[in-house]
Amino acid sequence: MSANLRKVLTRSLYGSRRCLSSSAASNFVRIVDVSPRDGLQNEKAQVPSEVKLELIDRLTDCGVQTIEATSFVSPKWVPQMGDAKDLYPQVLAKYSGNGRSYPVLTPNAKGLEGALAAAERAGRPLEEVAIFGAASEGFSKKNTNRSVDESFKAFQEVVEQAKKSNVRVRAYLSTVIGCPYDGATDPQLVARLTQRFLEMGCYEVSLGDTIGVGTPSTIERMLSEVMKSIPADKLAIHAHDTYGQGVANVLQAVNMGIRVVDSCVGGLGGCPFANGATGNVSTEDVVYALHGLGYQTGIDLNKLSYTGEWICSKINKPNGSKAGKAIITKLEKAKL
Ligand code: HMG
Ligand code: MG
C-alpha cells in the first residue's frame, strides 16, 4: 500500500474527531518484542539465563528495535524473572548505546532501585523502564496486590525517581477490553487511566488486551474513546492471542494510527495472574502481516522465524507462530 493510499484510508476511516498524529502517516511500525519477559515469565521450569541472553542476542540480530529484557519484580511472585539482577547488567554491558532499547518492568521503587543497581554494575546508563497497571480492580489486586489507585501511588514514586535519574518510563495498562475477574472494561475508564499515566510523565502507554478477548470491533470501540483525547503516537497495542484475534486486533490498531506493537516470537507468553490467558500475538505473524501491507519494521522475517522456532524448542513448547512455521518449511525445502 502506498503512503498516500494509507493516508487517505486512515483519514476516511477514522475521521477528524480522533487525535491522529504524524505517526499515523508513518510507514514504520516499531515492534516491541516482549518474549524475554512476557514470553518466559509464566514458564514453570526455570529457563537458564544463558538461553534468555541468547534470545535477546538473536532478537537484536533480527533487527528488533525494542526488546523487553526482564522484570525487577518480587521473585516470590514471579520466580522465572528471579535472575534479573545478574542477567540485566550483561544485557546493558553488551547492547547499551546500540540505538535499540532494552527496557525492564519495575512496578515499584524497589524494582527501579534494582534496575538502577544493575545498570551501575554494568557501568552503563539505565535508559528505560516500564510500569504496569490495570483498568480493573480484580486484575490489579491479583497482579500487584494493590487496588488501581494504590498501584498508581507506587508508580508515581517510580516515575519521579526515574525522572531524576534520566530514565524514560513506559506504562502498560492491562485488561483494556476485559478482565478475568471483573468482566468487560469500560473504554472511558481506559481513556482516563491512560491520561493519568501520561500526565504522570510516561512517554507511551501500551494498551493490553491481557486475556486476548478483544475483537477488531471492541478494539475499535476502546481506541476510539482513548483517541478522542490522546494522540496515536502516545499509544502502543499489546495483544494476547487467546481467541486467535491477535493479528486482526493489531491491524485494527495500526489502521487507527498506532505505530508501536508488542508481541512475542513463537506466540509465547502469558501472565501468571490472568486466568485463562494464553500467549501474546506472535511477532512473526504480526511482521508478516505488516510487511504484506507495505509497512516497514526493520526486521529480517526469515531470521525471526528461526528465532521463534529456536526458543520454542529450548523450552519444549510447540511453535505458536503460523507464519514462522510456514517460512521455515519453505526455507528448508529450498535448501534440498
Ligand atoms: P507485595 O507482596 O505487595 O510487596 O508485592 P511488598 O512491598 O509487601 O513486599 C513483599 C516482598 O516482596 C518483600 O520481600 C519485598 O522486599 C519484595 P520480603 O520482605 O517478603 O522478603 N519486593 C520485591 N522484590 C524484588 N523486586 C521488587 C519487589 N517489590 C517487593 N520490585 C509487587 C507487590 C508488585 C512487588 C508484587 O505483587 C509483584 O512482584 N508482582 C509481580 C507482578 C508481575 O510481574 N506480573 C506479570 C507482569 S504484568 C503482565 O504480564 C501484563 C503485561 O504483559 C500487559 C498485559 O498483558 O496486559 C505487562
Ligand atoms: Mg502481556
Side-chain angles (χ1 to χ4, degrees):
M1 199 191 304
S2 72
N4 265 350
L5 177 57
R6 204 171 13 254
K7 234 185 260 175
V8 170
L9 276 178
T10 305
R11 273 200 204 118
S12 61
L13 279 170
Y14 301 115
S16 56
R17 214 161 43 91
R18 289 212 183 92
C19 283
L20 286 177
S21 64
S22 56
S23 80
S26 163
N27 194 33
F28 188 83
V29 177
R30 182 164 62 88
I31 298 292
V32 177
D33 190 289
V34 293
S35 326
R37 193 277 302 171
D38 205 341
L40 300 179
Q41 69 186 7
N42 209 13
E43 286 303 305
K44 297 290 165 278
Q46 192 61 37
V47 179
S49 302
E50 301 73 55
V51 171
K52 295 176 181 175
L53 286 167
E54 186 169 344
L55 174 60
I56 294 168
D57 216 30
R58 285 175 182 249
L59 290 169
T60 302
D61 188 46
C62 291
V64 180
Q65 290 291 310
T66 306
I67 301 166
E68 198 168 69
T70 184
S71 306
F72 286 85
V73 296
S74 164
K76 287 181 191 149
W77 283 63
V78 187
Q80 185 60 252
M81 298 286 111
D83 60 352
K85 70 176 188 315
D86 296 320
L87 180 129
Y88 199 44
Q90 297 181 64
V91 173
L92 291 179
K94 190 158 183 188
Y95 305 111
S96 180
N98 71 353
R100 319 276 183 87
S101 194
Y102 299 83
V104 289
L105 294 191
T106 56
N108 54 13
K110 182 159 182 155
L112 180 63
E113 275 163 31
L116 284 166
E120 201 171 314
R121 269 180 71 193
R124 301 292 159 90
L126 178 66
E127 286 170 359
E128 182 174 344
V129 297
I131 52 182
F132 49 97
S136 61
E137 293 295 341
F139 182 68
S140 183
K141 273 270 177 200
K142 293 267 188 213
N143 198 35
T144 57
N145 203 22
R146 289 175 171 78
S147 68
V148 171
D149 254 355
E150 285 165 350
S151 72
F152 268 84
K153 282 190 192 111
F155 301 149
Q156 185 75 50
E157 258 187 277
V158 175
V159 174
E160 275 166 20
Q161 188 52 49
K163 266 188 210 154
K164 285 185 198 146
S165 310
N166 262 329
V167 178
R168 251 187 345 261
V169 183
R170 185 182 206 234
Y172 285 99
L173 185 64
S174 289
T175 57
V176 296
I177 303 293
C179 169
Y181 313 104
D182 300 352
T185 303
D186 176 1
Q188 288 188 356
L189 177 62
V190 176
R192 282 199 300 278
L193 293 174
T194 302
Q195 192 71 54
R196 201 163 158 185
F197 272 133
L198 293 172
E199 279 165 8
M200 197 181 262
C202 299
Y203 79 92
E204 175 177 287
V205 181
S206 177
L207 299 169
D209 179 13
T210 317
I211 52 170
V213 286
T215 62
S217 152
T218 51
I219 293 284
E220 200 270 340
R221 209 174 318 140
M222 179 275 294
L223 284 178
S224 295
E225 192 58 42
V226 173
M227 292 169 78
K228 278 182 189 167
S229 53
I230 297 166
D233 63 3
K234 297 282 176 211
L235 302 170
I237 190 80
H238 180 103
H240 283 258
D241 203 23
T242 317
Y243 288 83
Q245 304 294 297
V247 171
N249 290 343
V250 164
L251 294 184
Q252 177 65 41
V254 170
N255 271 335
M256 293 177 77
I258 288 179
R259 292 290 179 272
V260 184
V261 174
D262 302 352
S263 56
C264 276
V265 280
L268 294 177
C271 177
F273 312 105
N275 268 352
T278 62
N280 291 259
V281 66
S282 122
T283 310
E284 303 89 310
D285 292 359
V286 167
V287 170
Y288 180 79
L290 290 174
H291 288 184
L293 283 166
Y295 291 98
Q296 289 171 6
T297 62
I299 292 176
D300 179 328
L301 185 53
N302 290 351
K303 274 188 188 171
L304 188 74
S305 300
Y306 279 110
T307 299
E309 182 69 17
W310 171 81
I311 185 63
C312 289
S313 75
K314 282 286 173 191
I315 62 172
N316 294 317
K317 277 249 160 116
N319 185 347
S321 170
K322 286 197 169 170
K325 285 189 289 192
I327 288 164
I328 290 172
T329 304
K330 195 177 87 185
L331 292 173
E332 291 300 313
K333 266 193 195 146
K335 285 184 192 164
L336 296 174

